[in-house]
Every structure is written in structure tokens, then in C-alpha cells.
Amino acid sequence: MPGGNEPRSYYVGMDVGTGSVRAALVDQRGTLLAFADQPINQWEPQFNHHEQSSEDIWAACCVVSKKVVQGVNLHQIRGLGFDATCSLVVLDKQFRPLPVNPEGDSRRNIIMWLDHRAVSQVHRINETKHSVLQYVGGVMSVEMQAPKLLWLKENLRETCWDKAGHFFDLPDFLSWKATGVTARSLCSLVCKWTYSAEKGWDDSFWKMVGLEDLVTDNYSKIGNQVLPPGASLGSGLTPEAAKDLGLPPGIAVAASLIDAHAGGLGVIGADVKGHGLACEGQPVTSRLAVICGTSSCHMGISKNPIFVPGVWGPYFSAMVPGFWLNEGGQSVTGKLIDHMVQGHAAFPELQAKATARGQSVYAYLNSHLDLIKKAQPVGFLTVDLHVWPDFHGNRSPLADLTLKGMVTGLKLSQDLDDLAILYLATVQAIAFGTRLIIEAMESAGHSISTLFLCGGLSKNPLFVQMHADITGLPVVLSQEVESVLVGAAVLGACASGDFASVQVLRLSSKQTYLPAYVAYILVRTKDEETEKEYKLEAMAKMSKVGKVVFPRHEDKRYYDKKYQVFLKLVEHQKEYAAIMKGD
Ligand SMILES: Nc1ncnc2c1ncn2[C@@H]1O[C@H](COP(=O)(O)OP(=O)(O)O)[C@@H](O)[C@H]1O
Ligand SMILES: O=C(CO)[C@H](O)[C@H](O)COP(=O)(O)O
């Protein structure tokens, strides 16, 4: 990436989250110069059905893109990159939206990532025990694309399935909308569609699960041109899309990333020198990126594939080139906290008091907890209130979508103190869930010394401190709060060619196209025999340490006891289910 005082080049990053679209203008030093966000619609027409509109999302992209380039010399804008949630977009043969609902409402043509409609389909897919399943933690998640495709085929045959021309992962839909190129990103296909970077599609899987029609005409409906994230697509931004977005036609547009992967890329490589962190002297594989927003995604990398039961992956080069990725997850974290707080009897009082103080409800709750904790550490307020957080099933490491949420220790009172303590117990339950995921990853071979957090929940100091206290690991927060967006902008920068050219490296015996999005890969071959050593400078340049939150080890005994209770909760839940299932 050019440094020094060359004329400024600008790149636009677009991050499509669950609740909103965010855009950023970033310069060649990775400095975020402008930010804009725009809420997007979500429909929940029935329980476990979550839908969105690709046209609504694109319209929101156009709003935020125009905002961040206001007053900028458009000729200095060189590239555009997208990241998004892994939601399923359905279009007909003329690329028009198709309904994913029995009402036939084609506005709603997206099955969102957290949609759990395809339970029987994913159960049948997992019963096949097909070999591709070993690369998604052994059990395919209902949130991945194959179960949703099978649901559409079995439930909306005439109104959707037979008319469908294209099934996109949302990040790939956005890059298609910008360029007219239907190429897919290696990131989305490997992580959510069972595509292998080495072997491509596995015909036997699609035939075995009853989706043999996707194999015909060489997978044209789900993608047969696959590019590494950051690769430049076609001739760049089309004139039509340029007009929509308020950007110059022809600028480079990158093959995209899934949101969690962009977040992980944006934080995991930070230069931690001088912060007294164990990971300073350790390889990047000792770091775990946790992208915590509506959901939480735990991104750990390794030099060799590590198979962690119940944790997605291992995926090669899906986030950091040349490394294998395991992705743990909790389907609802921010969404769960919102659910518990907004559903409490004292929420109206909380809302009024927070508004009166000009604070978010979370800032108000955090200060209220400080008020009522008296002399004890705030975390001790939940000594007899415990939560099991799987209100939307367990993504990792139990990979059991039948699990439910649990709360024990409720009393008759429902005042603001009770709401604050329930909120605290929920935040702690999410941190205990992270601890369980880390334990599963470590018993399979990972060795994690430091957490790197980003996403909406990383702006909540209590959430961050509880993660440090409960995992016993230090938490690093980026200087740039919107690190996911910087990651997306760097995709665009790589596609523009302003960085070092795409590196094609020979990794041991096989040639692997490394994702272009890592701009600086200085490859030093020590000698013929040894592995190539990478120096991934882009990630160090992209993310600087903003703050480090250390665990309060003096409270360890208390949290170890709460963790024992936490594990008992799921044991008991399984016992209850067995009793009720029994005769
Ligand atoms: N400043 C904040 N303090 C506490 N929670 C926050 C804050 N900002 C966002 N959140 C929570 O983070 C979640 C949204 O995460 P975010 O990463 O912004 O969006 P998305 O999940 O759509 O990518 C919501 O549950 C919201 O309540
Ligand atoms: O499965 C995913 C990533 O692999 C989803 O995209 C992610 O869980 C949703 O992200 P967010 O909580 O930020 O909306």
C-alpha cells in the first residue's frame, strides 16, 4: 500500500450487518475518514422465519455510499469492497427477486442467516454423514445454505424453486449488483456452501441430499466461477451501479467477505507491541477474534487443519491467507441481550430514565449496576441468578439447535434492580459460552492467549470486562471501532491494484491462490525445505490497539463456581428433555 505523502487514494467499504448497512471511506493508510449507517428491514412472518429484501438492502447501500463520499474528489476513489451476513438471496433467471415465503411476497427474497425454518432438512443432511460435513465441525448448521435450499425446493417448488435462476450468498449478491459479474467469493462458498478450495464442488453431496438439480449446467445457479476475496471483478463498477452508489463507474470492486471474516481480518493482526500481552511474542494463531454483534463469531486460525467437533471449519484461507480457520459461534448475543432487556417489566422505566439522562439503555444499566453493587465486584450480583443463553439453539460447541434458554433464581420483584441483574447474568452467560467454545478449540489443538473483540457489543464495557474475567484472557479492542469496515475497504484497495500485486504462492506441493485482500505479504523463503514465512503487514497496519482490558484474576474463584453452575444448567436441560421424551 502506498505510504508517504502520495496524493490521497480513497476506498469505500460496505458492511451489511443484520440490522443495518454501514459504509466507510478509508484512505491509503487505512484511516477511516467518513462513516454512515442506515437501518434495513427485517421480517419475521412466523416463528423462526427471518427474511429481508435485497432491493431494500441495495437501496440502503446507495444511501450510505453517497453520504461517505460527499465533498470528495470522486477521481480519487479507487476501489470498493463488501462484507455481509451469510444470508441467502434468491433471484429468477432475469435476476429479479423471488419470494422465499408462502405469501408470495417477492420483496422478501432473502432467508436470513439466523432463520431456523429448515430443521428437518438439516437433520436429514446430517444423517447422511457425508464427508463434507467434517469441514463444518461434523454437523451442518441449520443456518448454512444447503438446508435452506432444500427447504425452498420442498416447500416453494412452483413459486420459487422452479423459477430460480440464481442463489447468492448476500456478500456475493452485492458484488454482483455492483459489477454484473456472478463470480462468487471463496470465503462464502467454502464456509457456507461446502465448496472446497482444492476440489471445488462435491457432486455426491448435492445428489445425496436431494439437490442434484444444482449440479446440472455445472452449478450455474450457485456459482461456478470462484475468486479469492479481494480479487478484482470484471470491469469494475457498472455505470448503473455507479449512478446508484454515487461512485465513479469502472472503479475496482472486490470479491467479497462474510462479515465475521472481515471483522476477524480487521482485528486479528494488530501490532500489540508494548501492551504487555503474551501474544506479542507468539504467532498469530494464539489470537482469537470475536466479532460480537447481533450474534458472536469466534475466529481462530492455525497453520494446519484442526477438526473441532461442533465448531465450524476447518476452512483453508477463508480469512487469513495460508491459514486454516475455525469459526465458533453463538447465534444470538446482542439480540439476546436486547430480548432480555426489552422484554422485562421494568424496561419502560429504564427507557425513560436512560432518555432523560441522554444515555443508551446499556450505558444506563451499567451505571445502575455500579450503584447497587456496593462494596462487592459488580459480577457478584448474580450469585444466585444464572442464565443458559441458547434461546436460539446452540451453534457451538454443542451444535444442538434444540437447546433452549434457561434462567434460574427469579423472584417476585420486577423492578429496575432486577432488570439490571438479569441483564448482567445474560452478559455473563454469553461470556461463559465463549469460554466453552475456547475450551473445545483448545482441547482440539488450538492454544489461545488473547481475545480481539469488534462489533457492536465490543462498545459495551461490561460485556468486554466480563469476557476478560470469565475467560481469564486479556481482551484487545481496536483503535478503529469500525474495524469490520476497514477490512471491507482494504478488499477494495486490493482489487484496485494499489497494493502489491496478488501473490500466487506455491504452498508445499499445491499452488494456492491466496486471497488478494491481504495487501502486504512479504514472503521470505528461509530455504527450499522450510515453510514460507509470511509477514502479514497489512493486518498490522490495518488494526492498531485501542485499549486492552485485563481479567481481574482476584475474582477467578467466583467465576469458576458460576461456570460449574453454567455447565450444570445444560446437563439438567438435557435430563428434563430425556424425561419428557421417555414413556
Ligand atoms: N454502544 C453499544 N453499547 C452496547 N451494545 C451495543 C452498542 N452498539 C451496538 N450494540 C449492540 O450490538 C448489536 C448490534 O451489533 P452490530 O455489530 O452493530 O450490528 P450487526 O449485528 O447488524 O452487524 C445489538 O444487539 C446492539 O444492542
Ligand atoms: O454466520 C455468520 C457469519 O459466519 C453470520 O453472518 C453472523 O453470525 C451474523 O453477523 P451479525 O451478528 O454481525 O449480524
Side-chain angles (χ1 to χ4, degrees), residues 15-22 40 42 83 85 113 259 291-295 333-339 342 360-363 366 423 454-461 463 482 484:
D15 169 28
V16 178
T18 299
S20 63
V21 173
R22 285 79 70 160
I40 46 181
Q42 299 177 59
D83 77 75
T85 64
W113 61 273
D259 56 351
I291 298 82
C292 34
T294 303
S295 64
T333 50
K335 187 177 181 69
L336 174 62
I337 296 170
D338 297 345
H339 170 79
Q342 292 164 17
S360 76
V361 292
Y362 298 115
N366 293 348
Y423 153 72
C454 68
L457 288 174
S458 68
K459 301 170 191 167
N460 182 338
F463 183 88
E482 299 301 341
V484 177

